[in-house]
Amino acid sequence: LKSISAKDIGALKALKNPPDVVKRIFDTVLVLRQFPMGKVIYHDVKGSLVINAQENYSGVSAKMMSDTKLLERLMQFPKEGINDETCELLQPYFNAPDFNYADAKKASGSVAGLCNWAMAMRTYHNVAKVVEPKIIMLRDSEADMKLANKEKNAAEEMPATVQKRLDAMQVEFEGAISEKQRLEEDAIATQRRMDSANALIQALGGEEVRWTEQSKQFDLQIQRLTGDCAIASSFVSYLGPFNKEFRDLLCTRDFYGDCVARGIPVTENLDVTRFLVNDSETGEWNAQGLPADDLSIQNGIMTTRATRYPVLVDPQGQGSQWIKSRESVNGLKISSLGEKQFRNHLED
């Protein structure tokens, strides 16, 4: 269309009887614009039967060429409105052997661009029938992606908000309150286990007696938890310098007796070792070189559970060897006051 000027249209309009192919080209424009047209009549042109466009050309086409904004209207033609019926009406024109740009160029010069334009509109519709559903699917997918990104951003912002609240709460609590909170969480966890046990009791009627008794034991365990934790804390804090016999004596006589005298529920003959560490962890310690006797296990508990660094009296070097093996995965460095690099190791 850009190759055609209003002057070309005017020159063509001045011809009283332009070539037949030119008339048919303007017929295709009328079909695309859905202008009223006369009855279809075929006639022979150079041995081929083609549509006779004379009636339309002298009437509707001539009037259309008088529009000074014809080329502008064609440039802005709403090609999305083309349908299969329109393309079917155009096909008899396109079937003519002389309906091509080369023959139209010989007959009408630059106005031959209308021939390519008409065929391009048909091609656009055929392509759009395939592409348009994909474009719709693409737009739907883009909308879904925007919604998913919005939900994703909201989900990414949530951890930051939660972390901010958690930091504010952490500043407010001190060490003693943190310990209390831990004990309360343990009690809640035990209560949840009891609730699950009760649900299982109802499902397994034959196990009701056993589960009920076990639930009572959980209650007693929760009641004694405060005293048991007090004995375990005293064990770690104060009994490091003593041998195993004196440690057991202080736990069973003094610590236990003091809890009973104060009315604090506590487990009689509490096994502090099993209370503070499980078999899996002690097995790991043994694999790292710690002896398996009770005294060594107790010393390992004090070493790992204390909040302060303990002083080891280790004439046989067993404790030192265990610590070296245990901390080797954490990049442990061994140094002494007499070593030249001692200061560098200490600063690192």
Side-chain angles (χ1 to χ4, degrees), residues 269-289:
N269 296 324
L270 175 68
D271 187 347
V272 179
T273 300
R274 289 188 173 276
F275 185 76
L276 292 173
V277 70
N278 54 38
D279 294 339
S280 175
E281 189 169 3
T282 57
E284 184 180 354
W285 291 351
N286 297 150
Q288 293 168 347

Side-chain angles (χ1 to χ4, degrees), residues 275-317:
F275 185 76
L276 292 173
V277 70
N278 54 38
D279 294 339
S280 175
E281 189 169 3
T282 57
E284 184 180 354
W285 291 351
N286 297 150
Q288 293 168 347
L290 184 69
D293 60 277
D294 292 341
L295 179 61
S296 297
I297 298 299
Q298 289 181 356
N299 291 337
I301 291 173
M302 293 179 182
T303 301
T304 58
R305 297 297 189 268
T307 57
R308 295 168 292 182
Y309 295 108
V311 176
L312 300 185
V313 179
D314 187 27
Q316 296 180 356

Side-chain angles (χ1 to χ4, degrees), residues 8 23 42 58 66 79 91 129 153-154 192 209 260 262 296 299 310 327 331:
D8 295 329
K23 300 174 185 177
Y42 284 82
S58 60
S66 300
K79 50 188 175 296
Q91 193 59 45
K129 285 196 301 183
N153 294 335
R192 288 176 179 169
V209 175
V260 172
R262 296 175 183 273
S296 297
N299 291 337
E327 298 298 330

Side-chain angles (χ1 to χ4, degrees), residues 288-291 303 312-328 332 334:
Q288 293 168 347
L290 184 69
T303 301
L312 300 185
V313 179
D314 187 27
Q316 296 180 356
Q318 293 175 330
S320 175
Q321 187 64 34
W322 170 62
I323 291 177
K324 291 176 182 178
S325 176
R326 174 184 171 83
E327 298 298 330
S328 61
L332 175 67
I334 302 173

Side-chain angles (χ1 to χ4, degrees), residues 53-334:
Q54 178 59 40
E55 180 183 352
N56 293 326
Y57 184 80
S58 60
V60 184
S61 296
K63 183 178 179 180
M64 180 178 65
M65 285 189 291
S66 300
D67 185 0
T68 57
K69 295 184 178 181
L70 173 61
L71 292 177
E72 181 181 348
R73 299 185 195 281
L74 294 182
M75 292 289 287
Q76 300 174 358
F77 178 73
K79 50 188 175 296
E80 295 79 8
I82 302 174
N83 54 37
D84 290 338
E85 183 180 359
T86 302
C87 293
E88 185 178 350
L89 294 174
L90 289 173
Q91 193 59 45
Y93 293 98
F94 297 159
N95 290 338
D98 61 346
F99 197 92
N100 55 72
Y101 182 79
D103 289 339
K105 181 74 173 176
K106 295 177 183 177
S108 63
S110 299
V111 182
L114 286 175
C115 175
N116 278 351
W117 178 79
M119 290 189 289
M121 292 299 100
R122 189 268 310 270
T123 303
Y124 172 84
H125 172 69
N126 292 335
V127 173
K129 285 196 301 183
V130 178
V131 175
E132 186 65 23
K134 297 181 179 180
I135 293 176
I136 293 174
M137 291 177 60
L138 174 63
R139 290 172 181 170
D140 292 341
S141 299
E142 289 176 346
D144 292 341
M145 185 180 69
K146 288 181 181 179
L147 180 59
N149 287 335
K150 184 177 180 180
E151 294 176 352
K152 177 189 171 205
N153 294 335
E156 289 176 348
E157 291 174 0
M158 186 178 297
T161 304
V162 174
Q163 185 62 43
K164 185 177 181 180
R165 292 178 56 193
L166 181 61
D167 294 342
M169 291 174 62
Q170 189 65 33
V171 173
E172 298 176 2
F173 288 104
E174 299 179 356
I177 298 179
S178 297
E179 181 66 16
K180 176 184 176 183
Q181 182 180 356
R182 186 184 68 81
L183 295 175
E184 290 176 348
E185 290 174 353
D186 289 344
I188 293 173
T190 304
Q191 182 63 46
R192 288 176 179 169
R193 288 195 295 270
M194 290 173 57
D195 293 340
S196 298
N198 289 332
L200 191 57
I201 287 173
Q202 295 176 1
L204 304 173
E207 297 290 328
E208 181 177 0
V209 175
R210 185 171 65 86
W211 280 93
T212 302
E213 180 61 27
Q214 195 170 27
S215 178
K216 293 179 181 179
Q217 293 300 323
F218 283 148
D219 286 336
L220 295 175
Q221 184 179 357
I222 293 173
Q223 295 174 11
R224 298 192 302 266
L225 194 58
T226 302
D228 293 349
C229 288
I231 291 179
S233 299
S234 301
F235 173 83
V236 174
S237 299
Y238 303 117
L239 301 189
F242 308 114
N243 58 24
K244 182 180 182 303
E245 290 76 13
F246 195 57
R247 289 174 181 175
D248 293 342
L249 177 63
L250 290 176
C251 284
T252 57
R253 184 190 66 186
D254 296 337
F255 295 165
Y256 174 77
D258 187 57
C259 288
V260 172
R262 296 175 183 273
I264 301 174
V266 65
T267 301
E268 186 176 1
N269 296 324
L270 175 68
D271 187 347
V272 179
T273 300
R274 289 188 173 276
F275 185 76
L276 292 173
V277 70
N278 54 38
D279 294 339
S280 175
E281 189 169 3
T282 57
E284 184 180 354
W285 291 351
N286 297 150
Q288 293 168 347
L290 184 69
D293 60 277
D294 292 341
L295 179 61
S296 297
I297 298 299
Q298 289 181 356
N299 291 337
I301 291 173
M302 293 179 182
T303 301
T304 58
R305 297 297 189 268
T307 57
R308 295 168 292 182
Y309 295 108
V311 176
L312 300 185
V313 179
D314 187 27
Q316 296 180 356
Q318 293 175 330
S320 175
Q321 187 64 34
W322 170 62
I323 291 177
K324 291 176 182 178
S325 176
R326 174 184 171 83
E327 298 298 330
S328 61
V329 297
N330 298 322
L332 175 67
K333 291 185 178 180
I334 302 173

